[in-house]
Amino acid sequence: MNVVSARSLDLTFRTGDGPVHALKDIELDIAPGEFVSFIGPSGCGKTTFLRCVAGLEAPTGGTLTVNGMTPDEARRARAYGYVFQAAGLYPWRTIGGNIRLPLEIMGFPEAEKKRRVAETLALVDLDGFEKKFPWQLSGGMQQRASIARALAFDADLLLMDEPFGALDEIVRDRLNEELLALWARTGKTMLFVTHSIPEAVYLSTKIVVMSPRPGRISDVIDSPLPKERPLDIRDSAEFIAIAHRVREGLRAGMEAA
Amino acid sequence: MTDAPLSAPQAGVGRSGRVALRLRAVSGTVIPVLAVIAALVGLWYLACIPMNAQQSVLLAERGGAEVSPATASERRDVGGIALSLRNPDPALALAFGQDRPVLPAPHQVAAELWGSTVGLRVTSKRSLVFHGWITLSATLAGFAVGTGLGILLAVGIVHSRVMDMSVMPWAIVSQTIPIIAIAPMIIVVLYSIGVQGLVPKAVISAYLSFFPVVVGMVKGLRSPDAMQLDLLRTYGASGAQTFWRLRLPASLPYLFASLKIGVAASLIGAIVGELPTGAVRGLGARLLAGSYYGQTVQIWSALFAAAILAALLVAIISGVERVLLRRMGLMR
Ligand SMILES: Nc1ncnc2c1ncn2[C@@H]1O[C@H](COP(=O)(O)OP(=O)(O)OP(=O)(O)O)[C@@H](O)[C@H]1O
Ligand SMILES: [Mg+2]
């Protein structure tokens, strides 16, 4: 069964100055364990699609299922972790307290909460920062904390909206590697929005290229890269070929719009 | 933090350096503040001269001095400034020590304040501490009730559209009625059912203090942004969880701003509540008695006692605010 399945999905926002066609005719199937990147120019509906999957936005046409359920049911079943485009930590909670938040809401036992907070903090390399408040951390560290928060309750599906957009190249590379390792180890299904072509190609088993006005899918590329991916795979001919195809897809989408 | 023993080589240096820094910071603010206060007090003394001129000149006349105009009836229509200019000597000499001046001089008010607080047993009927406590107890009772009511109403308004549309307009209307008009009615109605003393004053206090709390809390409970709310939705959080873990902590800075306004309003409510009953106890009663007998010094000292009380209450709330918000990481 597909984790995410969209059939002629459509979403039009009603705004003060006329309707905005944010998603048009989206057809997409995502199998369990896939790492899917969404790439496309600003405003092409990447965030909107992710929010539809999360049940935070109601499509105006077509069907969308998550784990065979409606997105709303999946949301209530706590089927996914969501990393927002901005870190959005609660300022009155420490880093540890922020990571505990979903665990508190989902009613994990106390010992389990402690264990998971420590574990996820280590995973994003923030051990020692548990008692710090968000304003005491750099923007990149805050974003890592928000990833830890989404990982803490161990959902099988992770929705990440440009989680590394605000980070420098070096940290980004490291987190990309770690994300891949996490994915390989846990077999989670990943939906990952990015603006970076190398990042999309490096991480994904499937790359969804989108184009704006109205937001739609212009190309879906299944990556032939092996699951084991050292960083220097980015210099291989295969990698460069896929990156080229993504770039072509983006360009074609822009011209058509 | 300062666990290092004083005998450690740098401990003393660091400490005295810190003290010097602290001193410089204090003198940086204290001197301007003192300058402003001195200017205000100077202005006050200056104002005493024309305000008390009629009586100064009258006293001089009785003492056998030449004054102009020569008789009280002629002087009645002469302004205070003109009178002071025409009789500079008595106006200046006699302005600051009268028994019942129009405007008491600062040192008279200070002396009366000192005499009626420190100088008297607190059980004395003339002690401002005694009267202050009477007013303060009604203020605190009213403030507690008003704050509780305000928070409850705000929670209702934020969670129910019906309450938002039905309660909020009434809350606003309630504040457009002058308290002077409604206070006697509250007191009379409560008296007719046998309630008097602290309770009617506390009711008026609560009536004045609930409104800023409602407005601030509604704003605070609505302050979380869409993303903070969406985050909880992705966890499938319930309404109660959203309230306790997001809305309430986010509202605290707003609540404290409201509490500071609310506590001052409470005090005004309690004082106003003491006026129409012809009460004999409380700061309001002191104000009233003072005005009956033309005891302006007593009026002013009661007024200052009320102002000092209000400042203390606000300072206490600010202190709690600092400690709590700093512990919550909301204040750096
Ligand atoms: N709540 C909303 N109401 C109205 N219009 C919206 C809303 N959310 C998004 N849109 C519109 O939908 C379109 C797609 O927005 P979306 O945020 O999905 O873009 P995106 O691909 O995530 O862009 P970016 O890369 O800049 O984050 C945009 O034109 C945007 O203006
Ligand atoms: Mg976006």
Side-chain angles (χ1 to χ4, degrees):
Chain A
M1 186 184 65
N2 286 320
V3 175
V4 174
S5 176
R7 292 279 159 276
S8 8
L9 188 71
D10 232 70
L11 195 150
T12 307
F13 286 110
R14 305 249 157 260
T15 68
D17 34 39
V20 177
H21 206 165
L23 294 174
K24 181 178 190 286
D25 228 3
I26 304 290
E27 296 277 336
L28 188 66
D29 284 311
I30 298 172
E34 274 196 283
F35 198 125
V36 185
S37 284
F38 295 80
I39 192 166
S42 188
C44 70
K46 306 179 294 291
T47 297
T48 304
F49 180 72
L50 230 55
R51 288 176 60 84
C52 285
V53 174
L56 297 175
E57 216 73 75
T60 46
T63 58
L64 177 65
T65 61
V66 179
N67 291 337
M69 299 178 269
T70 68
D72 236 21
E73 288 165 348
R75 177 170 65 78
R76 275 192 283 268
R78 290 146 181 178
Y80 62 85
Y82 197 115
V83 180
F84 288 85
Q85 213 162 339
L89 301 169
Y90 288 4
W92 54 86
R93 281 177 172 255
T94 58
I95 297 305
N98 268 286
I99 298 173
R100 282 172 75 90
L101 180 66
L103 305 174
E104 283 172 17
I105 285 168
M106 297 175 191
F108 281 76
E110 195 52 39
E112 185 71 8
K113 278 187 225 161
K114 274 214 180 75
R115 190 181 65 75
R116 283 172 182 255
V117 168
E119 220 176 77
T120 41
L121 271 173
L123 205 64
V124 295
D125 224 0
L126 282 179
D127 11 32
F129 289 91
E130 182 172 352
K131 300 235 153 58
K132 294 264 188 283
F133 281 103
W135 55 267
Q136 294 171 303
L137 269 64
S138 73
M141 291 159 96
Q142 291 183 27
Q143 192 59 24
R144 266 143 68 195
S146 85
I147 294 170
R149 183 177 58 185
L151 289 173
F153 53 100
D154 208 22
D156 288 331
L157 174 60
L158 266 187
L159 311 175
M160 310 176 95
D161 193 353
E162 292 187 51
F164 306 146
L167 305 186
D168 65 81
E169 202 81 15
I170 297 160
V171 175
R172 199 169 172 144
D173 277 354
R174 232 176 53 72
L175 286 175
N176 278 341
E177 262 187 302
E178 280 176 11
L179 190 61
L180 265 189
L182 177 90
W183 168 69
R185 197 167 65 240
T186 58
K188 290 182 196 297
T189 311
M190 306 282 202
L191 272 63
F192 186 94
V193 172
T194 178
H195 272 132
S196 152
I197 297 175
E199 188 172 72
V201 179
Y202 176 68
L203 292 171
S204 319
T205 58
K206 186 190 279 230
I207 301 160
V208 177
V209 184
M210 298 181 70
S211 59
R213 282 176 294 274
R216 62 201 184 282
I217 295 177
S218 52
D219 198 4
V220 177
I221 305 162
D222 284 301
S223 170
L225 295 179
K227 212 169 172 178
E228 273 302 314
R229 297 177 187 184
L231 274 176
D232 55 19
I233 200 170
R234 293 181 293 187
D235 300 324
S236 72
E238 261 176 326
F239 188 98
I240 291 165
I242 303 166
H244 181 74
R245 189 173 152 192
V246 173
R247 194 168 294 115
E248 287 301 306
L250 285 174
R251 189 168 303 149
M254 284 307 275
E255 273 155 20
Chain B
M1 281 158 88
T2 50
D3 282 341
L6 265 173
S7 56
Q10 276 127 13
V13 177
R15 188 155 303 180
S16 65
R18 214 173 306 137
V19 168
L21 262 181
R22 171 80 45 91
L23 270 181
R24 198 173 315 151
V26 166
S27 65
T29 52
V30 162
I31 289 171
V33 167
L34 285 180
V36 171
I37 290 176
L40 287 175
V41 170
L43 218 61
W44 183 351
Y45 271 113
L46 201 63
C48 285
I49 298 170
M51 294 288 280
N52 300 334
Q54 289 285 359
Q55 223 178 328
S56 305
V57 173
L58 184 67
L59 287 171
E61 186 193 359
R62 284 187 189 151
E66 279 288 316
V67 296
S68 90
T71 67
S73 56
E74 283 171 305
R75 284 196 299 268
R76 187 165 304 144
D77 296 327
V78 182
I81 295 177
L83 204 58
S84 311
L85 290 175
R86 287 167 72 170
N87 307 279
D89 289 343
L92 206 60
L94 301 171
F96 310 117
Q98 299 173 4
D99 255 357
R100 293 177 184 184
V102 175
L103 178 64
H107 68 266
Q108 291 178 289
V109 175
E112 167 77 12
L113 255 181
W114 182 264
S116 55
T117 50
V118 183
L120 284 173
R121 274 181 303 116
V122 293
T123 49
S124 158
K125 289 285 179 286
R126 281 179 47 235
S127 163
L128 271 182
V129 176
F130 166 78
H131 291 287
W133 167 248
I134 298 291
T135 303
L136 180 65
S137 53
T139 301
L140 292 180
F143 179 59
V145 172
T147 301
L149 188 72
I151 291 176
L152 283 182
L153 282 178
V155 171
I157 285 169
V158 167
H159 285 90
S160 144
R161 220 183 122 60
V162 173
M163 273 192 78
D164 187 11
M165 295 176 63
S166 57
V167 174
M168 204 55 177
W170 285 108
I172 293 168
V173 166
S174 77
Q175 302 302 304
T176 63
I177 305 169
I179 188 63
I180 284 291
I182 207 165
M185 293 196 291
I186 293 176
I187 285 166
V188 168
V189 167
L190 287 178
Y191 185 80
S192 72
I193 56 170
V195 180
Q196 49 181 320
L198 181 140
V199 175
K201 293 193 278 174
V203 168
I204 295 166
S205 245
Y207 179 89
L208 281 189
S209 63
F210 89 96
F211 186 66
V213 175
V214 171
V215 173
M217 264 317 257
V218 166
K219 179 121 179 96
L221 291 173
R222 285 189 177 144
S223 67
D225 62 34
M227 208 194 84
Q228 292 177 319
L229 286 162
D230 279 344
L231 181 73
L232 287 187
R233 283 179 72 198
T234 69
Y235 302 149
S238 68
Q241 286 171 324
T242 307
F243 177 79
W244 289 109
R245 294 202 161 69
L246 176 56
R247 291 192 188 277
L248 193 66
S251 73
L252 284 185
Y254 296 82
L255 175 65
F256 277 107
S258 295
L259 289 182
K260 283 184 231 169
I261 304 170
V263 80
S266 274
L267 184 66
I268 292 171
I271 290 175
V272 167
E274 286 163 351
L275 296 181
T277 48
V280 289
R281 308 190 314 169
L283 292 177
R286 286 295 278 179
L287 284 173
L288 206 61
S291 71
Y292 278 157
Y293 303 111
Q295 295 285 1
T296 43
V297 180
Q298 180 186 326
I299 298 178
W300 279 79
S301 62
L303 218 71
F304 268 86
I308 290 166
L309 202 55
L312 279 179
L313 291 172
V314 171
I316 290 171
I317 293 176
S318 295
V320 174
E321 175 186 31
R322 284 174 77 88
V323 169
L324 192 71
L325 294 193
R326 186 162 293 164
R327 183 164 300 170
M328 284 174 72
L330 289 174
M331 214 186 232
R332 290 169 196 192

